[in-house]
Amino acid sequence: MSAASQPKIPFNRTFLVGTEAEYMQRAMQQGPLSGDGPFTSQASSLLTKIVGASAALLTTSCTHALDLTAILLELGPGDEVILPSFTFCSTANAYALRGAVPVFVDCRPDTLNIDERLIEAAVTERTKAIVVVHYAGVACDMDVIMAIAARHGLAVIEDNAHGLGGKYRGRALGSIGGMATQSFHETKNIQCGEGGALLFNDPTHLERAEIIREKGTNRTQFFRGMVDKYRWIDIGSSFLPSDLLAAFLTAQLEAFDDIQARRHAVWAAYDQRLADWADAQSIVRPHVPDWCEHPAHLYYLLLPDLQNRQQLMQHLSELGIYAPFHYQPLHNAPAGVQYGRTAADGCPVTDDVADRLIRLPLFAGLADEDLERVINGVLSYRVTR
Ligand SMILES: *Cc1c(COP(=O)(O)O)cnc(C)c1O
């Protein structure tokens, strides 16, 4: 069969665990379908158990969970928030939206995480928080980052969109900063189409978060019987998902171990089978420090240069395999320049790796024969100099 007649292999495909439809049906029968119904509490408690956080509030997205952190920390004009340039724009948007300034810090060349050695130099009197992203679910060096935050009285937020199931020195990612955010977008390990959560390790802001998430009302307290009527008592918006989505999410979270095992099998196959090919051509495979356990969120390769990255993408595309690049740096993006500030002399490592990185298809339902096709497709590429 020619490559053209073979079905295309996408980068990501929704993996259904089998109970989603049944749970959504049950949600429809039992109601209510608005937020904070029975499936929302089930999904929240499953999530709390996986991460070991003290509480979890489901949100409509990770973006909205990040927005909530900016409101809870009362960030606004005159404040600065330190974060990596190599991340999704939502990590920065949340703070720019409140008038605070995202301060972009370069990444480590090995893990592509915010370089903890550059953080302290970026701290000013205006700095209020550090937001970290565990890229590909490989942990940032949290002991160093938490110590810097403690010295300067800063909040730490983990944008844990990639990190569900990952660990740092035995501790679950998402359980280390005061607050952490999760994404259940369809490209993440556990998903419900669009969804997210805000996790609390330090419960200081929990009560206020429940109010802000419910349009600024104490409706949550009303339903618990703690107050006899609910009123508008704070600023807020609508950050809670329908119980229909929470039903889908519950099904996925219950199958967490199975989903993770399937993703790990794909990740490990790539890493083993591509090792010699990569090493012989100075192509870099993901670096997982021995103090990390990664959750098989992404499998990426760093090609020697932009030209080879583009050629490998093209080569795979001709074989019907979709392998995309990833983040375009934020520090020199139009909105990054307008709303943010770059620490030190730019982010040269971020600029460099963003040009050279390619991600291979990785999802729980990737068939063995498709995995073989991807591996053989990659192995048939030769770096040009
Ligand atoms: C996916 C992602 C987000 C946004 O998640 P949504 O749920 O789509 O809002 C934010 N940060 C990072 C690092 C992500 O990967």
Side-chain angles (χ1 to χ4, degrees), residues 13 43 55 63 98 102-103 153 170 198 236 245 319 326 346:
R13 187 187 288 131
T63 302
R98 312 296 307 167
V103 176
L198 178 57
L245 283 180
L319 297 170
H326 209 187

Side-chain angles (χ1 to χ4, degrees), residues 59-66 86-91 132-135 159-162 181-188 193-197 297 326-327:
T59 58
T60 31
S61 64
C62 182
T63 302
H64 273 163
L66 288 161
F86 193 62
T87 181
F88 190 59
C89 59
S90 293
T91 318
V132 300
V133 177
H134 307 294
Y135 185 73
D159 175 346
N160 198 34
H162 300 189
T181 64
Q182 299 296 154
S183 174
F184 303 117
H185 183 263
E186 74 167 341
T187 51
K188 304 303 189 320
E194 299 274 1
H297 177 55
H326 209 187
Y327 300 129

Side-chain angles (χ1 to χ4, degrees), residues 99-121:
V101 175
V103 176
F104 301 109
V105 169
D106 208 356
C107 63
R108 286 168 56 138
D110 57 354
T111 59
L112 316 189
N113 284 328
I114 190 167
D115 191 333
E116 68 283 355
R117 295 161 302 187
L118 304 177
I119 291 177
E120 202 144 29

Side-chain angles (χ1 to χ4, degrees), residues 309-310 313 322-328 354-355 357-359:
R309 197 271 303 274
Q310 299 305 92
M313 276 177 68
Y322 183 58
F325 53 85
H326 209 187
Y327 300 129
Q328 295 308 289
D355 276 352
L357 188 143
I358 187 170
R359 293 175 292 162

Side-chain angles (χ1 to χ4, degrees), residues 15 40 78 135 147 257 259 280 300 371:
F15 177 71
T40 300
Y135 185 73
D257 291 343
I259 289 174
Y300 67 84
L371 176 62

